[in-house]
Amino acid sequence: MAEEVILDLEELRQLQNIAKRPRVLNLINSEICNLEKLRESASVSSAKPEVEVAVPAPVSSSVKPVSPAVNYVTLGTFSWDQDNDKVKMYISLEGVDQDKVQAEFKSMSLDIKIHDVQGKNYRCGIPKLHQEIVPEKCKVLVKPKRIVITMFKSLRGNWIDIHHKEDKIKPSFEKEKDPMAGIMDLMKNMYEGGDEEMKKTIAKAWTDARSGKTGDPLKGL
C-alpha cells in the first residue's frame, strides 16, 4: 500500500507542474495533502511492534430444541352426578398415569389433559359450566379404568345440567292488555279519517259497545 501511495504522489506532482487552472491546481494540491497524510500514518503504523491479539474462546451456547405441537384426542363422552356440594365427572379410560394428568380449573370452566396413554394424548374440557365452582378445592383421581373429576360448587344446590344453559323463561312485566282496547283504538282512527256517514256509523257502534248492546263493535262497519 505504501508503494502505491508514493507512485500516486509522484504522478500528482507531475500533474501539478502541468496544470494551470486554479481549480484544477486546488484539487491536485488537496489530493497530494491527503496522500501525504496517508503515507505518514502508514509509516507510523509499520513502525509499531506487533501486538498479539487475544482471540476469545468460542462459547458453546446450548440452544433448546423447539418442542413439537402436542396433538390431542378429544374426549367428548363422560358421565356425571352431583349432590348439593359437588359435581363429579367420570371419564372411562384405561392405562392412565396420575402424574401425566394436567388439570386446569377455573371458576366457570375446566380443561383436563391426559398425556402418553398408549402413545396418545387425550383432552376433555368444558368451556362454560352451569354455575361457578371453587377451583382450589377441585381435584382429579385416576383409577384403573376411569378418571374421576371432583368439582366443588361455589353455591350449594342442584344443577340442571353440567353445561351452562341460558334461562329462556323470562317473566313478562307487561300487563295483559284489554282485547277491546285495540278495537277501540282502531275505531278512533277510522272515525278521525272517515267521512260524515262513516263517523255516524262508528259513533253508533261505539255507543252500543260501551252500553253492552253488541259484543263486536266493528259489526256493521
Side-chain angles (χ1 to χ4, degrees):
M1 181 178 175
E3 293 177 1
E4 292 291 332
V5 172
I6 293 170
L7 292 173
D8 290 344
L9 281 170
E10 290 177 358
E11 190 168 341
L12 284 170
R13 287 194 179 101
Q14 290 176 6
L15 293 172
Q16 187 181 34
N17 295 328
I18 298 171
K20 294 180 179 181
R21 294 183 65 80
R23 178 170 178 164
V24 176
L25 284 169
N26 288 335
L27 290 171
I28 293 172
N29 291 334
S30 176
E31 189 62 26
I32 289 173
C33 181
N34 291 335
L35 288 174
E36 286 178 345
K37 289 179 181 179
L38 184 62
R39 184 181 65 177
E40 289 175 4
S41 62
S43 61
V44 170
S45 62
S46 62
K48 290 182 179 179
E50 293 184 359
V51 179
E52 185 177 353
V53 179
V55 180
V59 178
S60 61
S61 59
S62 57
V63 180
K64 294 182 179 180
V66 179
S67 301
V70 181
N71 295 319
Y72 293 94
V73 177
T74 302
L75 293 170
T77 303
F78 57 85
S79 59
W80 69 286
D81 62 14
Q82 65 174 320
D83 57 29
N84 284 333
D85 297 311
K86 58 186 176 294
V87 178
K88 286 190 176 184
M89 285 175 55
Y90 304 96
I91 301 173
S92 297
L93 190 64
E94 297 184 23
V96 178
D97 187 347
Q98 180 78 49
D99 295 333
K100 294 184 179 180
V101 177
Q102 179 183 347
E104 182 181 5
F105 295 99
K106 295 182 180 180
S107 60
M108 284 292 291
S109 66
L110 79 152
D111 187 12
I112 308 297
K113 296 177 182 177
I114 307 157
H115 299 99
D116 196 17
V117 181
Q118 299 178 359
K120 293 183 179 181
N121 302 308
Y122 295 89
R123 189 172 188 175
C124 181
I126 298 179
K128 194 169 185 180
L129 293 164
H130 180 67
Q131 289 184 2
E132 290 189 6
I133 59 174
V134 184
E136 58 270 19
K137 295 177 69 176
C138 300
K139 59 184 179 180
V140 178
L141 178 64
V142 174
K143 294 192 174 184
K145 293 187 178 182
R146 66 178 181 175
I147 301 169
V148 182
I149 303 164
T150 304
M151 296 174 288
F152 285 83
K153 299 176 181 178
S154 178
L155 297 174
R156 298 179 79 250
N158 185 66
W159 288 12
I160 59 173
D161 199 331
I162 197 167
H163 297 277
H164 180 74
K165 299 289 184 182
E166 295 290 345
D167 186 6
K168 296 183 180 180
I169 303 174
K170 295 182 179 180
S172 176
F173 295 101
E174 295 184 0
K175 294 181 179 180
E176 292 185 3
K177 294 183 177 180
D178 182 1
M180 292 296 294
I183 297 174
M184 291 298 181
D185 291 340
L186 177 61
M187 290 175 64
K188 183 179 180 181
N189 293 333
M190 291 172 64
Y191 181 86
E192 291 175 353
D195 54 19
E196 289 300 323
E197 186 176 352
M198 176 64 73
K199 287 182 178 180
K200 289 179 181 179
T201 305
I202 294 174
K204 183 178 183 304
W206 201 338
T207 304
D208 291 344
R210 285 180 175 274
S211 62
K213 291 182 179 180
T214 177
D216 184 5
L218 295 180
K219 186 177 181 181
L221 294 181

